[in-house]
Amino acid sequence: MKTKDLIELYQQDKKIRFITDQLNSQSSNQFQLKGLIGSASALLASSVFTETPFIYLMILSDKESAAYFYNDMESLFNENNFNFHKKKVLFYPSSYKRSNEIENIDNTNVLLRTEVLKKLGKGERKSIVVTYPEAICEKVVTKKYLEKNTIRLKRGEAVSIDFITDLLIEYEFERVDFVIEPGQFSIRGGIIDIFSFTNDYPYRIEFSGDEVESIRSFDTISQLSIDKLNHISIVADVHNRIQKETRESFLSYLPKSSVVWIEDVIFCADKITQEFEKAKKYFSEPNNETGQVATNELFITKNDFINDLQNFTIIEFGKHFYFNKAIIIDFDIQPQPSFNKNFNLLIENMNENTKNNINNIIISDNPTQLKRLYAIFDDTNLKNGYDKNFKSDSLKLSLHEGFIDKELKIACYTDHQIFERYHKFQLKDGFKTKESLTLKEIYNLNPGDYVTHIDHGIGIFDGLEKIENNGREQEAIRLIYKNNDLLYISIHSLHRISKYIGKEGSVPTLNRLGSNSWNKLKNKTKQKVKDIAKKLIKLYAERKSTEGFSFSTDTYLQHELEASFIYEDTRDQIKATNDIKKDMESGYPMDRLVCGDVGFGKTEIAIRAAFKTVAESKQVAVLVPTTILALQHYNTFQDRLAEFPCNIDYINRFKSTKAQKQILQNLKKGKIDIIIGTHRLVSKDIEFRDLGLLIIDEEQKFGVSTKEKLKQLKVNVDTLILTATPIPRTLQ
């Protein structure tokens, strides 16, 4: 099944057709849709939208609901169905980072708001805008003011750099050395970089005299071009609340033909009242930086909101309804049942649906998760002797909440609800930079800091300097080398420079420009790396020739464990898990390192490998450097494997001699499946009945003697090493 099929199923429903016909003929302007549950409201709205030529404003009761609804709509239009692209699904947030912080402005949110205002101001005729009360309660600048404060440029246009600079300063853009976020601009000779509030990326405008020679968008981190453009619009921060220009309700930007979908009108109106009172208190406080501005000039009231709504066609949904003269349409939709990860109940429910001619649809945007789920179905049927009576379709789609539509005879089950996994919404990220020598890092470099150039070696950063290049003034990075030789680096060559990394406290030797010493050092280092590689190849050749235990393919319980992870697997987690399983199922001992930062999911991968080992009646030893970490791992393993047949224990120096003796006996007899401990695990008195997997967390923190014992232990045992220390840093 495809997303298009699901939307078309709703389009053919007589109730949906009635709503569509009423909207197109403009016969009625108030509707109440009762009984909509879960993501059925987003599916219904998308079905109606594709058949009508209007702008839809979707007002949800809070930011979280709006974000999930926005993600649902984006997902439904992800396949570019019906000549409509998901980029026309817009999110309109509040200006603030948090709803309780009126003074804390978020530039990412301001950009999203300005993008919506610009599109509506230009006369956009078919799009979806998703928002919530805290966002629409803020008044916005008028269309006339927005038009007045928009700079339009096109390639080949005659305009001077000085004129553009004066306009940007007048519109309160900040002049910086390098643009990082919206509202900034920089000038380098005949090039102006401008980060408008209406585009995800800044513009780079190149002038030839007083003529715009080229316009392109670029990445602030890599400085590489993204798109060549013929014309652009540059919009200032229209949020600026000191501005005394007349402001109006956001709803005034909507054409009169727009359709407003709103969840619980009174609840939304009360939220607007709360925001108004909060703003009133904030703006009445003395000595605040904004000055004495009347709250009603910047925020709408509850009455304003209700009155403005009635200028449009209104479709109410949710649990509580307000307008009395609306056409009421009832839907028979139920929420997705909660199965508490009991697959017997799920199969029985799906069998019952099939008997009642209700089509089961499993929804997931992760193909791996769908495979796991169907493998669990097969194993559960085989284990419990069920007849596989139920029929089901799978749909690669991301929806927040499943539902059962009794009238359309479909039951949509989301995988994250089946497994009780946390489902996270996705909105635009803030403006961040990577951990490399980027423009932002140049800000943090101080004159005197050491840097490494890939061609010239180690030098000293000496700041930025304006130089003339082919008759044009531009900014360059100034580096000092041995004998005070100078080297100027264009900002377009940042990828060739990195911050010097060496032993802490040691002072590096500067290289001399033009000498061959740096190339000799690079070649010598390459040879050392080759030597290390030869030793590694020899080591792995020996391990390949050693016979190890070959684990079986995943069992039903393994699928259930992995599917029950409360978060969605990242791409790297999936790859690491598959690679580890492949090693464990091979005929030679595994020796694999998983490197990832704290919180990136290394422990979850280790738990899966450990359980795969226990499923083969073999034991697992988890070696950690500290007693605190041993207890943390013990609690984590216990929580994740609580519902599975697995005995877990831990050992450290704080346990009594009697308790340790009992653990050793149980370990020898095979009564403990997973043992977690510090270097105590490599003591002479430790005996395993059948050790199948050794998991080592942060091996570099163990002493030499412990590592020697580990080498003996690892000869024919699968070994998995976890670390948060980037190994390439050591090699560098």
Side-chain angles (χ1 to χ4, degrees):
M1 184 179 235
K2 293 183 178 179
T3 304
K4 188 174 180 179
D5 300 327
L6 188 59
I7 293 176
E8 286 179 346
L9 182 66
Y10 269 84
Q11 287 176 333
Q12 294 162 10
D13 179 63
K14 60 182 182 180
K15 292 180 180 179
I16 307 300
R17 287 206 308 270
F18 172 76
I19 297 170
T20 303
D21 292 341
Q22 291 289 309
L23 291 175
N24 284 327
S25 64
Q26 298 185 337
S27 303
S28 307
N29 65 350
Q30 290 183 4
F31 300 86
Q32 291 180 356
L33 309 184
K34 297 185 176 181
L36 291 182
I37 299 292
S39 293
S41 54
L43 188 54
L44 188 149
S46 62
S47 303
V48 174
F49 174 80
T50 52
E51 298 291 298
T52 54
F54 310 119
I55 285 179
Y56 280 29
L57 177 67
M58 325 294 297
I59 306 174
L60 281 296
S61 56
D62 56 56
K63 182 179 179 179
E64 185 176 282
S65 301
Y68 282 123
F69 193 94
Y70 168 71
N71 284 171
D72 283 352
M73 297 299 281
E74 269 202 321
S75 185
L76 286 165
F77 289 115
N78 195 35
E79 297 176 6
N80 200 15
N81 291 318
F82 313 104
N83 298 317
F84 182 76
H85 197 271
K86 69 173 183 176
K87 285 187 178 178
K88 286 199 174 183
V89 181
L90 305 169
F91 189 74
Y92 187 76
S94 164
S95 301
Y96 314 110
K97 291 186 177 179
R98 294 181 180 85
S99 59
N100 62 341
E101 295 179 354
I102 288 180
E103 71 282 1
N104 202 347
I105 305 299
D106 188 335
N107 268 347
T108 307
N109 287 356
V110 173
L111 189 149
L112 289 170
R113 286 171 66 88
T114 311
E115 181 183 19
V116 173
L117 294 180
K118 178 190 170 188
K119 288 194 173 185
L120 294 179
K122 284 173 61 179
E124 184 82 27
R125 290 298 167 193
K126 189 172 174 70
S127 60
I128 298 171
V129 180
V130 183
T131 187
Y132 50 98
E134 290 88 345
I136 56 174
C137 74
E138 295 179 55
K139 285 188 175 182
V140 295
V141 295
T142 62
K143 290 182 184 178
K144 184 178 178 181
Y145 179 79
L146 181 65
E147 180 71 19
K148 181 183 172 185
N149 283 264
T150 299
I151 304 172
R152 290 183 173 81
L153 288 175
K154 60 182 179 181
R155 193 161 58 88
E157 182 178 356
V159 60
S160 71
I161 291 179
D162 291 338
F163 177 72
I164 297 295
T165 304
D166 291 342
L167 273 180
L168 292 172
I169 292 171
E170 183 183 338
Y171 293 164
E172 298 185 3
F173 276 78
E174 178 190 5
R175 183 167 181 173
V176 294
D177 291 326
F178 301 101
V179 297
I180 299 294
E181 57 184 40
Q184 297 176 335
F185 78 100
S186 69
I187 301 175
R188 293 182 304 282
I191 297 175
I192 301 182
D193 291 347
I194 307 171
F195 210 143
S196 169
F197 276 91
T198 53
N199 198 50
D200 292 344
Y201 296 99
Y203 300 121
R204 177 159 289 159
I205 306 158
E206 193 166 354
F207 288 81
S208 177
D210 284 344
E211 183 180 307
V212 178
E213 187 176 277
S214 69
I215 304 173
R216 59 188 186 272
S217 58
F218 69 96
D219 189 327
T220 56
I221 296 173
S222 67
Q223 292 291 300
L224 297 177
S225 297
I226 297 172
D227 286 318
K228 289 184 178 180
L229 306 164
N230 289 321
H231 54 83
I232 57 171
S233 296
I234 300 164
V235 180
D237 179 4
V238 295
H239 174 272
N240 188 352
R241 48 173 76 254
I242 302 175
Q243 193 60 254
K244 294 297 180 72
E245 296 286 336
T246 304
R247 289 178 175 263
E248 59 189 8
S249 166
F250 168 71
L251 295 176
S252 64
Y253 267 75
L254 300 175
K256 296 299 181 185
S257 60
S258 302
V259 181
V260 178
W261 294 62
I262 181 164
E263 180 184 32
D264 297 334
V265 176
I266 291 301
F267 182 82
C268 290
D270 289 342
K271 276 278 189 79
I272 286 172
T273 298
Q274 291 173 19
E275 289 300 303
F276 188 87
E277 293 300 321
K278 190 190 303 177
K280 190 175 178 181
K281 181 181 178 183
Y282 173 73
F283 287 112
S284 64
E285 289 177 356
N287 301 322
N288 67 63
E289 295 179 0
T290 59
Q292 296 299 319
V293 182
T295 309
N296 59 5
E297 290 180 13
L298 301 172
F299 290 81
I300 63 172
T301 64
K302 175 179 177 178
N303 291 335
D304 292 336
F305 174 64
I306 298 293
N307 291 333
D308 287 345
L309 275 182
Q310 298 181 69
N311 294 324
F312 307 97
T313 298
I314 301 167
I315 298 179
E316 294 184 74
F317 64 102
K319 296 180 180 177
H320 305 286
F321 300 88
Y322 177 76
F323 296 104
N324 297 322
K325 296 180 180 179
I327 296 174
I328 298 173
I329 302 173
D330 289 304
F331 292 88
D332 188 6
I333 300 177
Q334 296 178 356
Q336 175 175 330
S338 177
F339 301 107
N340 296 316
K341 293 184 279 190
N342 186 327
F343 294 99
N344 294 330
L345 288 178
L346 175 59
I347 290 172
E348 287 172 9
N349 180 263
M350 295 175 77
N351 279 332
E352 188 65 28
N353 288 341
T354 301
K355 288 178 186 176
N356 295 325
N357 295 318
I358 296 175
N359 184 27
N360 298 300
I361 304 173
I362 306 294
I363 294 176
S364 174
D365 60 343
N366 186 347
T368 305
Q369 194 70 351
L370 288 171
K371 287 180 183 177
R372 286 175 185 160
L373 191 55
Y374 280 106
I376 290 171
F377 286 157
D378 291 338
D379 288 337
T380 305
N381 281 323
L382 188 65
K383 183 179 178 182
N384 298 305
Y386 283 114
D387 291 326
K388 193 175 180 181
N389 294 322
F390 72 85
K391 296 177 182 178
S392 68
D393 285 318
S394 59
L395 180 58
K396 188 181 177 184
L397 180 69
S398 175
L399 290 181
H400 179 50
E401 290 182 324
F403 57 90
I404 300 173
D405 193 323
K406 293 293 187 70
E407 293 174 334
L408 283 182
K409 301 288 185 182
I410 58 169
C412 295
Y413 296 141
T414 64
D415 71 309
H416 55 268
Q417 284 178 284
I418 290 173
F419 295 113
E420 298 181 355
R421 179 188 288 110
Y422 178 68
H423 189 232
K424 187 178 180 181
F425 60 77
Q426 298 287 333
L427 294 175
K428 185 189 289 291
D429 292 330
F431 299 95
K432 301 175 183 177
T433 56
K434 297 177 182 176
E435 291 182 4
S436 57
L437 188 57
T438 63
L439 295 176
K440 190 171 182 180
E441 192 166 295
I442 286 178
Y443 282 131
N444 299 326
L445 276 177
N446 297 312
D449 288 347
Y450 292 98
V451 295
T452 305
H453 191 288
I454 193 170
D455 296 324
H456 304 289
I458 300 168
I460 298 174
F461 176 73
D462 195 39
L464 300 169
E465 185 174 323
K466 291 180 180 178
I467 61 172
E468 191 172 299
N469 184 18
N470 293 328
R472 292 180 181 177
E473 190 181 73
Q474 68 179 55
E475 207 145 19
I477 300 162
R478 175 183 165 115
L479 301 181
I480 299 176
Y481 282 83
K482 196 171 183 179
N483 300 329
N484 288 324
D485 291 340
L486 296 180
L487 179 68
Y488 292 97
I489 308 295
S490 166
I491 62 157
H492 303 297
S493 300
L494 282 180
H495 59 284
R496 308 191 70 78
I497 306 171
S498 62
K499 197 169 184 178
Y500 173 76
I501 300 171
K503 288 183 180 179
E504 197 171 337
S506 64
V507 178
T509 302
L510 294 182
N511 291 105
R512 191 177 68 203
L513 290 178
S515 75
N516 201 34
S517 59
W518 175 247
N519 287 329
K520 285 181 180 178
L521 181 61
K522 283 201 296 184
N523 292 333
K524 186 178 178 182
T525 306
K526 285 177 183 176
Q527 187 57 49
K528 284 187 176 181
V529 171
K530 286 180 182 177
D531 293 340
I532 293 171
K534 285 178 183 176
K535 291 178 182 178
L536 286 173
I537 291 169
K538 184 180 178 183
L539 172 65
Y540 276 88
E542 290 174 356
R543 287 183 64 81
K544 285 268 189 182
S545 62
T546 305
E547 188 175 346
F549 181 78
S550 180
F551 287 86
S552 305
T553 54
D554 290 351
T555 62
Y556 148 74
L557 289 173
Q558 185 76 29
H559 286 302
E560 188 172 332
L561 170 71
E562 293 178 13
S564 66
F565 186 43
I566 63 170
Y567 303 104
E568 292 185 23
D569 288 358
T570 64
R571 191 177 300 170
D572 290 336
Q573 272 184 308
I574 293 170
K575 186 179 186 305
T577 302
N578 291 338
D579 288 346
I580 289 168
K581 287 179 185 177
K582 193 175 178 181
D583 284 354
M584 293 177 72
E585 291 167 10
S586 68
Y588 58 88
M590 173 177 73
D591 189 3
R592 185 166 285 275
L593 169 73
V594 175
C595 181
D597 212 340
V598 176
F600 275 49
K602 300 188 299 295
T603 307
E604 172 63 23
I605 292 171
I607 289 170
R608 295 176 185 183
F611 188 72
K612 187 177 180 70
T613 307
V614 173
E616 295 277 354
S617 300
K618 285 184 168 287
Q619 293 170 298
V620 180
V622 183
L623 185 63
V624 296
T626 65
T627 52
I628 293 175
L629 196 56
L631 187 57
Q632 287 177 346
H633 274 325
Y634 172 73
N635 291 330
T636 304
F637 273 70
Q638 281 278 55
D639 290 342
R640 278 294 280 127
L641 300 174
E643 298 178 10
F644 298 90
C646 190
N647 294 320
I648 307 167
D649 209 336
Y650 74 100
I651 186 170
N652 60 33
R653 69 177 187 274
F654 293 115
K655 285 204 170 187
S656 65
T657 305
K658 183 179 179 182
Q660 289 190 38
K661 188 176 180 181
Q662 185 62 49
I663 290 171
L664 296 182
Q665 289 177 1
N666 292 339
L667 202 59
K668 187 176 181 179
K669 293 177 182 178
K671 292 182 179 180
I672 295 175
D673 298 309
I674 301 174
I675 183 71
I676 301 167
T678 56
H679 60 278
R680 177 74 175 83
L681 279 181
V682 293
S683 301
K684 291 181 180 179
D685 57 348
I686 295 284
E687 288 185 56
F688 295 92
R689 185 183 64 82
D690 188 4
L691 182 63
L693 176 66
L694 175 62
I695 299 172
I696 308 171
D697 197 1
E698 303 292 353
E699 184 183 21
Q700 74 279 2
K701 292 184 179 179
F702 291 101
V704 176
S705 60
T706 304
K707 287 183 179 179
E708 288 301 317
K709 292 174 183 175
L710 285 176
K711 284 181 183 177
Q712 299 171 10
L713 194 61
K714 286 163 46 177
V715 173
N716 62 347
V717 173
D718 283 1
T719 305
L720 176 63
I721 300 172
L722 312 176
T723 182
T725 302
I727 302 304
R729 184 195 298 167
T730 307
L731 290 176
Q732 189 173 7

